[in-house]
Amino acid sequence: MIIAVIALGLLAGASGLLLGFAAIRFKVEGDPMVQQIDSVLPQTQCGQCGYAGCRPYAEAIAAGEADINLCPPGGQNGITALAELLGRDPKSLDPASGIEKPKMAAVIDEQRCIGCTLCIQACPVDAIIGAAKHMHTVLVGECTGCELCLAPCPVDCIQMVPFAPTVTTWKWTYPVVEVKAAA
Amino acid sequence: MRFKTVTSPHLHQQTGVNQVMRRVLYAMVPGITALVWFFGWGILINLALATVMALGAEAAMLAARSKPLALHLGDYSAVVTAWLLAVALPPLAPWWMTVIGILAAIVVAKHLYGGLGYNPFNPAMIGYVVLLISFPREMSAWLIPHGIGQPHALSLLDTLQIIFGGAGSLPIDALTGATPLDVLRTQLGLGQTVAEIRNSPVFGIVAGRGWEWATAGFLTGGLWLIYTRTAAWQIPAGLLGGLAVMATAFYLIDPQHYAPPWFHLWSGAAIFGAFFIATDPVTASTTPRGRLIYGAGIGILIYLIRGFGGYPDGVAFSVLLMNIAAPTIDLYTRPRVFGERQP
Amino acid sequence: MSALFPFHGGLKTVRHKTESNQTRIWTAMLPPRLTVPLRQHIGAIAKPLVQPGDRVLKGQMIGQPDGYISAAIHAPTSGIVSAVDPQPVAHPSGLADLCVTIESDGEDRWINRQPVNYPHLHPSELRNVIRNAGVVGLGGAAFPSAVKLNPSGRSERLDTLILNGAECEPWITCDDRLMRERAADIVAGLQIMAYLLGPYEVMIGIEDDKPEAIAAMSAACVRTGYMVCPIPTRYPSGSVKQLVRLLTGKEIPVDGLPVDVGVQCFNVATAYTVHRAVNFGEPVISRIITVTGQVHGPGNFEVLIGTPFAALIAQCGGYREGVERLILGGPMMGFALHSDDAPVTKAANCLLAVGPAELAPELPVLPCIRCGACMDVCPADLLPQQLYWHARAKEFDQARDCHLFSCIECGCCSVVCPSHIPLVQYYRYAKNEIWALEKEKQRAEQARQRHQARMERLEREKQEREAKLRQKAPRVEVVASSGKQEG
Ligand code: SF4
Ligand code: SF4
Ligand code: SF4
């Protein structure tokens, strides 16, 4: 009898813990709409939209405070995707927030870097590594091209370099159909 | 050494849209010859007038949409539209009817929808339906098949005068009459049996006198189109099959009041429509099964319109109705892809 | 012989085989400089093992496979490595890729070759020999063969091992000549493959326009139990999916591999290199390539990997008048080279110089009239007209729904289209865009997570700082007041 009570008690306790853990682990975070919008944004985290990152911008869109055409890295495709998601008409990018540019990555001129760590503090995705007074390097694979590290650098040794196409990233282009006047 | 680069394949067959369209024109020749034989110069004059008008309208629209003129005029699609419409018009139709029909077909049905390849509706049939709705009396006034080489034929001059100047002193009413399908329809309405009606002089061996030979001509040309794979066999097969099934069913129920299936298949524009109108690829269904369904739909509609609708023949309306359905048919009749499991 | 199972669609194309298949395989000259790309296969680029200045011997490994799906690269001749850097390679983009450049010393001195007696080796060791010899599919795809020769992970025995000698593309005859002249070697390689895979049956598919090759292969297959199956000459019978269906009646599922239906398929030239690798210890450092079209002396050449195309063309007596395009591969699926200074790779089966005589005049593109001619020839049973519609409108999701990725880019649809629409290019474009978008999505997701991690870290650090601050609060006040005093 007592054993049964203890067993049941333990079982109840265990499942309670499990549930509690699950509640924390699988918590539905925030508003699913915000999440959906966020998943469409390019995650460059550059702040050109006027918000502190992609998620705050997503929240603003969901709340109806911001228009959908403020994100330059997302470009026209991003705006179209947002318009589709929200059932609105697509529009063109607001020139006030910036212009659409090819994808780029930051490169630090390692000769000139003085190891001030200012860029590390600016990088929204921790893509710059290096310790104080030591030369810093950008992890090209992680850099989102947000350009936030350019301004803080006291010696202007960071440059944005566009991604050059390689044989693995090269793409077939949209066919240019020449409609020639028949002779 | 550096070279020009383009994508594969580097081979191309020398077929072109213009060749496809030209074949359709050739295939219409036997049928048109028979029509001319039985109905006289009017057919030819309509054809010529429609062709000139269609090319003019096409050129004007192309210029307005700033497309290369020679290239698109050279694809012969406007000529095909013109011929399809002209063949469907009564031989003595006044010139302005042809003009209106062609304008409706080329300007509205074709170019306002984006030109060749983008029009959802068969342009010739739009032209025809516009005329049929606007001028029902003129559209049903077909010549009684006299034709060149037979007594009472209208001379070329007479025909020209009628088409461009009105009937004038000519006894036009005596020359024209209802089409065989019209006769069948009105007489059935008067309570006569099919067998009695068939005794009327407008009927020949299988169907309308004169008409039946034109149908034979179009069938010949149509079979040639299928043989050369210019047209998809599924559409005529579906159409004639659908029509035959409907006609047979009703004929078996009551042969007194419903014409036999061979009469239906051989009458009006059934054969012509099956091989030449419904097979217009742009507005038809494009999957193999879809084409069968599309054709069958037209066939069934033709029968329903002939038997129970307000018009003696229903090819034009049936085709247009199925044009609307074509994209949906395509969506649900996608063929099984290689390696895809049977659903 | 078993009955065939025809596939839908396909084309009877021009053949143009006799230009190059009338003479024996020539051995190409040793060029003074070889540029060996480190990426000649599907999968990860090989890791360079040499540096400029190193002396290498013929057959020495200069690129190491990087990961499971990768292939080794070897020095095609002896000499000195002069550079390890990006050089123009044979690619539709004309871009450069990492290559090892070797200045030949003219001696062509082999490394110590070690043939193995394979029945005494454990299959995994034998596979390693093949892997280290850099054997890849020589039919064009260049997939590392050792991976395909590994039956592990499958419980049942393989049903059918197919050797592909169809060579359905016009102009190409390198497999034809190889089968005619070295049938016994091919069969020896096939035996090694069969030893590794243990299939119930082995079939060799050869298009029936190659009677000599069929005869030679049949003679070599006597007493092996392998079936030589002549198949109708109909492009693209040499495409894996079509060949498997033709011979076995099985359809490789959409998104599937041949092994999913118990079949494995290799090119005849691959079998030949397996034989050389195992029984002679020779890695893949050469291949047979057809040079044909508008050149003075067309034919088949056994050529070292890394030989510039220009050197090969020079050996055929150079171009004839009016060459406009140089195609690597056949005219149906090959791509136009930007220039002839790119080098021969393992996958290069044909070099075709074409001029106005071969190329149809470029006809103006008209709108699609939905005639369905493309559908009638599509061997993948697709609706190319619908695919085109969606690709053109950049409706990638719909294109995918219409099975864009089942398209094998065979080109049949483009050939027959009366509107002369470059259909295949639209499909390639759409596929590339979809892949790029997918990569972009992954990147964005990665960035989102990193950003979130950073925000959490900053938050944590802030809290820690505050906690510390609270702990040390009294002292802070003192410092502050002392500051004031100083000020
Ligand atoms: S502008 Fe920058 S921060 Fe704003 S949503 Fe776009 S990528 Fe994110
Ligand atoms: S062959 Fe060309 S014109 Fe015909 S349906 Fe296909 S894409 Fe359209
Ligand atoms: S290229 Fe693709 S769509 Fe065209 S015929 Fe070949 S498999 Fe079909």
Side-chain angles (χ1 to χ4, degrees), chain B residues 1-17 20-21 71-72 75 116-118 229 281-288 291 326 330 334-341, chain C residues 241 251-254 319 324-325 327 331-332 334 336-340 360 364 366-371 375 379-381 383 385 392 401-403 406 411 414-416 418-420 425 428:
Chain B
M1 195 161 155
R2 297 196 67 79
F3 297 97
K4 267 172 78 172
T5 56
V6 280
T7 29
S8 64
H10 305 274
L11 296 174
H12 291 285
Q13 267 174 16
Q14 292 304 295
T15 51
V17 173
V20 173
M21 297 291 174
L71 172 63
H72 288 282
D75 67 20
L116 177 69
Y118 298 95
R229 295 182 173 246
V282 175
T283 55
S285 179
T286 180
T287 64
R291 284 169 172 171
D330 282 351
R334 280 188 200 158
R336 190 192 72 97
V337 169
F338 188 100
E340 193 182 32
R341 283 191 212 304
Chain C
K241 290 188 174 190
E251 287 193 1
I252 300 169
V254 175
Y319 300 109
E324 279 180 12
R325 209 180 281 174
I327 298 164
M332 292 297 290
L337 289 166
H338 285 246
S339 99
D340 57 9
L366 287 170
C368 167
I369 55 168
R370 312 210 316 150
C371 65
M375 170 182 76
D381 305 275
L383 294 174
Q385 67 273 47
R392 201 182 78 105
D401 273 356
C402 289
H403 294 277
S406 282
S414 299
V415 169
V416 299
S419 289
H420 317 118
Q425 195 182 346
R428 288 194 173 124

Side-chain angles (χ1 to χ4, degrees), chain C residues 386-407:
Chain C
Q386 302 281 75
L387 276 183
Y388 157 67
W389 191 261
H390 294 311
R392 201 182 78 105
K394 308 187 184 179
E395 296 165 350
F396 299 130
D397 287 344
Q398 282 98 316
R400 198 177 236 192
D401 273 356
C402 289
H403 294 277
L404 173 66
F405 286 97
S406 282
C407 167

Side-chain angles (χ1 to χ4, degrees), chain A residues 41-54 57 70-74:
Chain A
L41 293 174
Q43 307 300 328
T44 310
Q45 316 289 3
C46 62
Q48 289 182 78
C49 49
Y51 294 85
C54 300
Y57 178 43
L70 302 179
C71 170

Side-chain angles (χ1 to χ4, degrees), chain A:
Chain A
M1 175 67 192
I2 291 184
I3 294 176
V5 169
I6 293 172
L8 276 179
L10 279 178
L11 211 67
S15 46
L17 277 176
L18 205 71
L19 279 176
F21 172 74
I24 298 166
R25 179 74 177 72
F26 304 109
K27 190 169 69 175
V28 181
E29 259 177 73
D31 187 350
M33 195 64 217
V34 171
Q35 213 148 10
Q36 280 184 43
I37 299 175
D38 194 31
S39 73
V40 172
L41 293 174
Q43 307 300 328
T44 310
Q45 316 289 3
C46 62
Q48 289 182 78
C49 49
Y51 294 85
C54 300
R55 194 170 173 96
Y57 178 43
E59 279 159 9
I61 295 178
E65 290 159 13
D67 209 339
I68 57 171
N69 62 343
L70 302 179
C71 170
Q76 200 55 50
N77 285 346
I79 296 173
T80 314
L82 279 175
E84 222 160 78
L85 177 66
L86 301 167
R88 301 206 204 147
D89 285 333
K91 25 173 110 177
S92 53
L93 183 65
D94 187 347
S97 37
I99 47 163
E100 194 178 346
K101 280 188 266 186
K103 276 233 156 275
M104 293 197 270
V107 175
I108 297 178
D109 181 345
E110 295 171 359
Q111 304 300 312
R112 283 161 55 204
C113 169
I114 54 170
C116 68
T117 77
L118 287 174
C119 56
I120 296 186
Q121 291 164 37
C123 178
V125 290
D126 285 342
I128 306 179
I129 46 171
K133 307 236 175 72
H134 284 82
M135 175 253 289
H136 297 356
T137 307
V138 178
L139 301 172
V140 180
E142 307 293 350
C143 172
T144 64
C146 69
E147 304 189 3
L148 292 179
C149 51
L150 300 195
C153 179
V155 291
D156 284 341
C157 72
I158 310 182
Q159 267 191 339
M160 299 308 293
V161 179
F163 280 105
T166 65
V167 285
T168 46
T169 61
W170 177 84
K171 294 189 286 184
W172 286 97
T173 52
Y174 192 73
V176 192
V177 173
E178 287 172 61
V179 180
K180 283 183 280 184

